[in-house]
Amino acid sequence: QNPLPPLYCTEFSVQKIPYKDFFLAPLFSLYYNLILDTCIHISTERNRRKDKTMKRVGFLTSGGDCQALNATMRGVAKGLYQIYKDEVEIIGFEDGYKGLMYANYLMMKQSDFSGVLTKGGTMLGTSRQPFKLMRVPDKDGLDKVAAMKHTYHKLSLDCLVILGGNGTHKTANLLREEGLNVVTLPKTIDNDLWGTDMTFGFQSAVDIATDTIDRIHTTATSHSRVFIIEVMGHKVGHVTLHAGIAGGADVILLPEIPYDIDVVTGVIQKRAAADKKFTIIAVAEGAISKEDARLKKKEYKEKLAKRKYPSIAYELAEKIQQKTDKEVRITVPGHTQRGGSPCAYDRVFATRVGAAAAELILNQEYGYMIAMKNQKITKVPLQDVAGKLKMVDPQDGIIKEARTIGISFGDQ
């Protein structure tokens, strides 16, 4: 005899058992299949309702990395889990917009956001995807924007949380214009995003650059040398300005204030005449001379392409040695300014902006960047942010105050 079939099934996908497998009457088989149909219907309905109420949020980090990316994602995630409890799913896209284009993602758990407050880098990975190429198909002919939209809708996302700098925000605004729900967070060590007084990563980078200048001071003093510390900042000089002041630099050279090499060497000679045997110069990697500032953009790019020096620091060093009798040394902290643990300030700031992003998602307020204005967390429309740089203002109070205490910007 065949054994009786089980009345309760844990797998609702089990095939219905036909009458020929029963030794009982057809009526029993009818009841059995009716119960099975009911179980399948109940399971399907529960899943349908769950999918309908479940909040689905995508995370991605794009552009250059910095110290507080993980801390910021943690802030958003903790806020979402507090608001929605178990009714939220977070999907992490790997390597920035590339993950959204090619549907490379992972389903994240609450545990993924534990123990990451102090960790630098980004748990999701990142990549640079130039905005000017976003409308250009990839090597296989893929429409990048269409692919990103397809992934968003395929996963039934309610919102996309994007952490990045200037280029990232241009693409984020493009996705907003294409109809996607987007909330962004201000990430860049350069602190050059328009619409916010602060970006996470900036203070950590300033601390590292300052520490470098501090350490150079002792060796510069011992050997009576001129030391040039090249700080990150191609287009803006916020990191160099703050690190230079904090580290006690004698000369600070910024992209926003073109320098005269004769003014720079004059400072060195003046210090030597006052029996100050060393000089510390903090220079942004995008610093520019007055002569070069007069060139047209195309002409300047052509000149840079032919430049024999690895960077601005080496060009300065050679010219200073030609005009003075001083020994010159160069220090380039480079990517150390992006690495390591976020400083205490960035941890607090990352947590605040992350929590604010969760509140925007709760209120279904999309198309905004979380920002800080006058020490208060607020929101700024994405269309107002995209494509704008926040430069160092040569007339700003911090510049005037630095000049008052004798710091030279190489211009006068």
Side-chain angles (χ1 to χ4, degrees), residues 126-394:
T126 187
S127 65
R128 295 183 185 276
Q129 300 292 319
F131 175 73
K132 64 183 179 181
L133 298 179
M134 277 298 173
R135 292 290 189 184
V136 179
D138 73 358
K139 57 183 176 60
D140 297 318
L142 179 75
D143 183 323
K144 298 171 187 173
V145 176
M148 289 190 285
K149 290 168 63 180
H150 175 76
T151 302
Y152 179 97
H153 292 299
K154 178 185 175 184
L155 293 173
S156 299
L157 295 181
D158 293 290
C159 176
L160 189 61
V161 176
I162 300 173
L163 294 76
N166 281 289
T168 298
H169 275 77
K170 289 180 186 178
T171 300
N173 187 54
L174 171 62
L175 294 178
R176 178 196 65 81
E177 292 173 341
E178 291 289 327
L180 304 192
N181 295 332
V182 175
V183 171
T184 69
L185 293 153
K187 179 263 345 174
T188 169
I189 68 168
D190 295 313
N191 196 27
D192 60 353
L193 267 173
W194 190 92
T196 181
D197 295 338
M198 185 58 61
T199 59
F200 59 85
F202 171 69
Q203 194 58 58
S204 296
V206 168
D207 287 357
I208 292 166
T210 301
D211 182 66
T212 301
I213 298 172
D214 289 346
R215 293 173 187 274
I216 290 300
H217 256 103
T218 56
T219 185
T221 304
S222 300
H223 290 277
S224 302
R225 288 171 172 160
V226 173
F227 261 92
I228 301 173
I229 298 93
E230 185 178 288
V231 180
M232 279 188 165
H234 276 295
K235 296 180 179 179
V236 300
H238 292 290
V239 178
T240 309
L241 174 61
H242 285 257
I245 293 173
D250 306 298
V251 180
I252 299 175
L253 303 180
L254 309 175
E256 296 89 342
I257 305 177
Y259 68 86
D260 183 333
I261 189 62
D262 290 330
V263 172
V264 175
T265 55
V267 172
I268 296 168
Q269 291 165 337
K270 185 178 179 180
R271 284 178 58 79
D275 204 28
K276 297 176 180 178
K277 299 179 180 179
F278 71 94
T279 299
I280 301 289
I281 302 173
V283 55
E285 57 190 343
I288 187 171
S289 69
K290 288 186 175 182
E291 301 121 310
D292 288 344
R294 296 188 192 102
L295 298 175
K296 294 179 180 178
K297 190 174 182 179
K298 184 178 179 181
E299 293 173 334
Y300 182 58
K301 282 188 175 181
E302 290 173 353
K303 182 175 180 179
L304 286 180
K306 298 174 183 177
R307 187 164 68 180
K308 64 178 181 178
Y309 310 101
S311 66
I312 183 64
Y314 293 88
E315 180 178 352
L316 274 171
E318 182 174 292
K319 290 182 177 180
I320 289 170
Q321 287 187 151
Q322 289 171 353
K323 291 176 174 288
T324 70
D325 60 352
K326 288 291 182 181
E327 208 175 346
V328 183
R329 293 290 184 270
I330 297 164
T331 297
V332 184
H335 282 77
T336 64
Q337 293 163 90
R338 294 188 182 278
S341 296
C343 66
Y345 181 93
D346 272 339
R347 295 178 200 182
V348 174
F349 181 61
T351 302
R352 293 182 69 189
V353 295
E359 289 285 347
L360 283 192
I361 294 169
L362 170 64
N363 297 326
Q364 298 185 36
E365 295 183 77
Y366 304 122
Y368 291 98
M369 178 188 78
I370 302 295
M372 176 182 274
K373 288 279 196 180
N374 301 317
Q375 300 301 312
K376 294 186 182 297
I377 301 300
T378 184
K379 65 181 188 288
V380 181
L382 259 179
Q383 64 264 35
D384 294 345
V385 176
K388 296 179 183 177
L389 274 179
K390 182 180 69 181
M391 313 288 286
V392 173
D393 181 358

Side-chain angles (χ1 to χ4, degrees), residues 37-73:
D37 278 339
T38 302
C39 290
I40 293 171
H41 174 75
I42 292 171
S43 174
T44 303
E45 182 64 16
R46 282 177 178 171
N47 287 335
R48 188 190 69 77
R49 288 177 181 175
K50 183 179 179 183
D51 288 342
K52 189 174 181 180
T53 59
M54 183 69 71
K55 202 77 171 176
R56 307 196 92 199
V57 181
F59 282 13
L60 70 81
T61 58
S62 178
D65 70 318
C66 72
Q67 295 87 343
L69 281 163
N70 289 327
T72 307
M73 285 189 282

